[in-house]
Amino acid sequence: MLWVAIIGLVMTVLAVAVAGRRALFLYKLATVGPPAPERLEYARTHAGEEIKAQLVEVFGQKKLLKWTPSGVAHFFVMWAFFILLTVYVEAYGAIVQGAITGRPDFHIPLIGQWAVLGFLQDFIAVACLLGLVAFAAIRIKNSPKTLGRGSRFTGSHLGGAWLVLFMIFNIIWTLFLARGAAAANGNSPYSSGAFVSLALGDVLPRSSLLEEIALLLHIGFMLVFLVIVVNSKHLHIFTAPLNVLFSRRPDGLGGAPELRVDGKPVDFEDEDLDAERLGRGKIGDTTWKGFLDFYSCTECGRCQSQCPAWNTDKPLSPKMLILDQRDHAFKVAPYLLAGADTSHADTDVLALLEKPLVGEDGVIHPDVLWSCTNCGACVEQCPVDIEHIDHILDMRRYQVMVESSFPSEAGVMVKNLENKGNPWGMSEMKRADWIEELATSVDGQGFEVQLIDEKMPEDTEYLFWVGCAGALEDRAKKTTKAVAELLHIAGVKFAVLGPMEACSGDPARRLGMEYLFNMLAQQNIETLNEAGVKKIVATCPHCFNTLANEYPQLGGTYEVVHHTQLLAKLVDEGKLTPITPIEEKITYHDPCFLGRHNKVYSQPRDIMSKVPGVQTQEMHRHKDRGFCCGAGGARMWMEERIGKRINTERVDEALTTNPDTVSTACPFCMVMLGDAINEKKNNGEAKESLEVVDVAQLLIKSVKTPT
């Protein structure tokens, strides 16, 4: 047995050395870029939340279990890695004890002869084998060769995946061979419980040589697997828990992260600010958290399968966005690690080093970058908490503020924001027009909407943040009037800023124009603080998200609710009572910035459920898998020239429910879905009576008794 111990230990030392060298390389590569101190600080100060995240996402596999049967298969394979560590303790103990005493009958102290442990080891190994079968079947069924773009594995490194499945299979069968041989020789620590191993022991011959060879094979396959893992996408076995640990909470959605240089938030008034360092212009500008994203990608394609851009034949695949950056980083890694010294680089490598991160011939094509709607479907579905939107925003920031390279139509929007404080370029005085329209349209009994002069009146509970669309876009103004009237009926005191309100800055920030966002946000924060605003209700999810999640970055902290949240509360309290039946079949579209970004799914549905006569029918893709309307990420102001229009795809899905009405809770969604429905009507593909309305419009229609 001595020779087995020597060979086993030598193999282990060599494999650990090779894997350790790779791990050191990966660490050095990840830390060539700027730091991310905010990630470390958050994890340190929110230890309880991070422990919960590890238990739920890593050990509980919460996100993966949304995808069955692949989630269930992964759950058992993942737990096999943890539980079967005890088998390797037994294997190493056996070869060492066998070398010393001549009898490899080692058992783990205290628990090593417990039948429950033996059963658990064999059970999880069998479950792992079944998981491998499931994985193989899923990959064959969803092969890119047969499904093309429809396969979530399109673009993934398929050969490496099959190799890993093969290696795990080798680990499992050698495990049973070694344990069966030990049982046959009377060296098994278990007299019961290990049902497969003991059954094999009954049929295998007594042979010390067989047991020794099986132990070496088992350990050898594990060590080869270790080396493969640290050099493949299965590196996520080690990096995914770290990526979850340092991800943004609660889930990498909601507010966009601050623009940072060298780990510090950018102060645009700093005279020493190097404008060339804004955003991400090269792969070396990626923080270590960005590299953790690269290392953690499992290439599962769940993000790709949910992406509205990819599903409408655009070039953006969130998965490939990460993989292309990762592959490029590995190609130029020796020179990133060497700093600026490229004196020994050959011509091909120099060309690779000079390749722009974003460009026609860059690592990321501009069409990929600008196809993103920031809907968050990729981040929501990623089982290892990769933050695709953060990567896109960082690259957009560099393109916009340093390269001045972005779609021309967005330039018009930027100028309008700069000059008029709204994307449409309309006079700020028009922000109060809806108030006069409301006063003359409410059954001849108008009511006064309080317009803030300097300070919020003392008896006013909410500032009603109307938003640019809600004040200036005709369809969205209907929602504004409905919400104002409902608050009036419920006795909720509110006021509006009118001409003093400027764009929240969401379109600018999501475009990458951080400077303009900063300017608009600070202007609004100053206005809100001087007025003494504490509580805000907003009808636009983009404004809602910005005010609630991004303004605190600049010192503007308020209690912000979306109008559906407030209206649902008022209905529950009996302050609003839907009476008039609305005999319609309605399908609800989840706005991305209300649903996925802020987890407001139930309140709009609760409101509709309280309206008599309403029959609701969910679309196939809804709630956290809801499909975008196409307006987010500043796409509202950019032409959609590639593939099928996202709003058309969403309306096609809505039409499958044969609705009388499509409801939503976002002015952008109303515009996008309304435009697509009008196009369908013109083509005779939708009934003329079909319309898009806000949930508030449904509620006011039911609350008001017909005259």
Side-chain angles (χ1 to χ4, degrees), residues 567-706:
L567 294 179
K569 178 173 176 285
L570 294 173
V571 171
D572 287 342
E573 292 173 350
K575 295 179 180 179
L576 291 172
T577 306
I579 298 174
T580 305
I582 299 178
E583 302 292 344
E584 294 180 1
K585 185 178 181 182
I586 299 175
T587 189
Y588 176 71
H589 164 79
D590 287 284
C592 300
F593 276 76
L594 183 63
R596 268 189 298 269
H597 280 276
N598 287 284
K599 307 299 178 284
V600 179
Y601 296 116
S602 62
Q603 289 90 333
R605 291 173 169 83
D606 291 343
I607 292 171
M608 289 189 293
S609 70
K610 300 291 177 59
V611 176
V614 167
Q615 301 176 49
T616 56
Q617 176 65 52
E618 295 282 12
M619 286 181 257
H620 173 64
R621 293 179 285 206
H622 62 279
K623 293 188 176 179
D624 62 350
R625 292 196 190 182
F627 200 77
C628 184
C629 75
R635 289 292 324 174
M636 179 87 166
W637 292 274
M638 300 183 220
E639 274 302 318
E640 202 169 336
R641 297 188 175 90
I642 304 173
K644 184 179 181 180
R645 294 180 67 88
I646 293 174
N647 58 342
T648 302
E649 173 71 14
R650 186 54 164 167
V651 165
D652 281 341
E653 186 170 357
L655 291 177
T656 63
T657 68
N658 190 30
D660 298 309
T661 298
V662 176
S663 69
T664 188
C666 171
F668 288 7
C669 295
M670 284 185 66
V671 170
M672 298 297 284
L673 299 179
D675 287 349
I677 285 174
N678 288 336
E679 184 180 351
K680 293 291 182 182
K681 289 179 181 179
N682 293 336
N683 296 334
E685 299 175 32
K687 51 192 176 187
E688 286 298 323
S689 59
L690 182 63
E691 60 178 345
V692 184
V693 300
D694 190 278
V695 172
Q697 292 173 262
L698 291 172
L699 182 59
I700 191 65
K701 187 176 177 181
S702 182
V703 166
K704 292 170 66 175
T705 304

Side-chain angles (χ1 to χ4, degrees), residues 45-57:
T45 56
H46 296 77
E49 291 179 36
E50 298 300 348
I51 291 172
K52 179 181 177 182
Q54 293 292 313
L55 293 175
V56 171
E57 293 189 37

Side-chain angles (χ1 to χ4, degrees), residues 299-335:
E299 304 184 26
C300 66
R302 288 172 175 83
C303 58
Q304 181 174 286
S305 68
Q306 299 299 303
C307 177
W310 182 260
N311 276 280
T312 52
D313 296 323
K314 294 169 181 62
L316 169 61
S317 159
K319 175 182 69 178
M320 297 311 300
L321 178 92
I322 298 299
L323 296 187
D324 287 345
Q325 291 182 87
R326 183 187 74 187
D327 293 347
H328 177 69
F330 283 153
K331 289 175 183 176
V332 300
Y335 301 95

Side-chain angles (χ1 to χ4, degrees), residues 200-246:
L200 285 173
D202 291 337
V203 298
L204 289 175
R206 292 180 61 89
S207 170
S208 298
L209 181 61
L210 177 62
E211 183 178 356
E212 292 166 354
I213 292 173
L215 279 171
L216 281 180
L217 282 174
H218 184 48
I219 290 173
F221 276 123
M222 179 273 290
L223 294 173
V224 173
F225 179 70
L226 172 65
V227 173
I228 291 174
V229 162
V230 296
N231 286 275
S232 72
K233 76 183 186 74
H234 281 77
L235 178 65
H236 75 268
I237 293 171
F238 301 114
T239 59
L242 293 174
N243 210 42
V244 170
L245 175 65
F246 295 117

Side-chain angles (χ1 to χ4, degrees), residues 476-601:
K477 281 200 281 187
K478 294 178 182 178
T479 303
T480 303
K481 295 171 189 176
V483 171
E485 190 174 356
L486 286 165
L487 295 180
H488 174 69
I489 293 171
V492 176
K493 298 292 185 181
F494 69 94
V496 298
L497 289 172
M500 294 168 61
E501 183 183 297
C503 178
S504 66
D506 168 82
R509 178 165 243 194
R510 297 291 165 170
L511 181 72
M513 184 63 80
E514 190 75 9
Y515 172 75
L516 180 55
F517 162 75
N518 198 278
M519 182 180 74
L520 291 165
Q522 288 184 340
Q523 175 186 330
N524 284 323
I525 290 169
E526 183 178 349
T527 300
L528 293 168
N529 289 347
E530 287 181 355
V533 172
K534 302 296 182 184
K535 299 168 71 175
I536 300 173
V537 56
T539 54
C540 174
H542 298 263
C543 294
F544 165 59
N545 179 69
T546 305
L547 293 167
N549 300 321
E550 297 180 356
Y551 275 25
Q553 297 170 358
L554 298 171
T557 303
Y558 316 100
E559 181 184 331
V560 188
V561 297
H562 187 255
H563 73 278
T564 56
Q565 293 175 300
L566 180 55
L567 294 179
K569 178 173 176 285
L570 294 173
V571 171
D572 287 342
E573 292 173 350
K575 295 179 180 179
L576 291 172
T577 306
I579 298 174
T580 305
I582 299 178
E583 302 292 344
E584 294 180 1
K585 185 178 181 182
I586 299 175
T587 189
Y588 176 71
H589 164 79
D590 287 284
C592 300
F593 276 76
L594 183 63
R596 268 189 298 269
H597 280 276
N598 287 284
K599 307 299 178 284
V600 179
Y601 296 116

Side-chain angles (χ1 to χ4, degrees), residues 374-409:
N374 280 204
C375 73
C378 49
V379 179
E380 175 72 32
Q381 294 299 328
C382 181
V384 293
D385 283 4
I386 292 172
E387 296 159 350
H388 312 78
I389 293 177
D390 292 3
H391 289 264
I392 287 171
L393 283 178
D394 267 352
M395 287 185 274
R396 282 188 175 187
R397 286 164 171 168
Y398 184 85
Q399 291 301 302
V400 172
M401 292 188 289
V402 179
E403 296 289 335
S404 297
S405 176
F406 53 93
S408 57
E409 315 95 287

Side-chain angles (χ1 to χ4, degrees), residues 12 34 36-37 76 121 156 170 282 398 437 491 573 602 613 667 677:
T12 301
F76 285 114
Q121 290 169 334
S156 299
N170 286 329
K282 55 184 184 299
Y398 184 85
E437 296 169 11
E573 292 173 350
S602 62
I677 285 174

Side-chain angles (χ1 to χ4, degrees), residues 33-92:
E38 75 281 6
R39 305 302 183 114
L40 294 170
E41 178 63 18
Y42 187 92
R44 185 183 66 81
T45 56
H46 296 77
E49 291 179 36
E50 298 300 348
I51 291 172
K52 179 181 177 182
Q54 293 292 313
L55 293 175
V56 171
E57 293 189 37
V58 178
F59 295 100
Q61 299 279 279
K62 178 183 178 181
K63 286 190 173 183
L64 272 169
L65 288 174
K66 293 179 181 179
W67 296 73
T68 52
S70 59
V72 174
H74 192 279
F75 178 86
F76 285 114
V77 173
M78 183 273 296
W79 271 100
F81 280 98
F82 295 133
I83 295 172
L84 296 183
L85 286 175
T86 59
V87 174
Y88 279 103
V89 173
E90 292 172 348
Y92 277 101

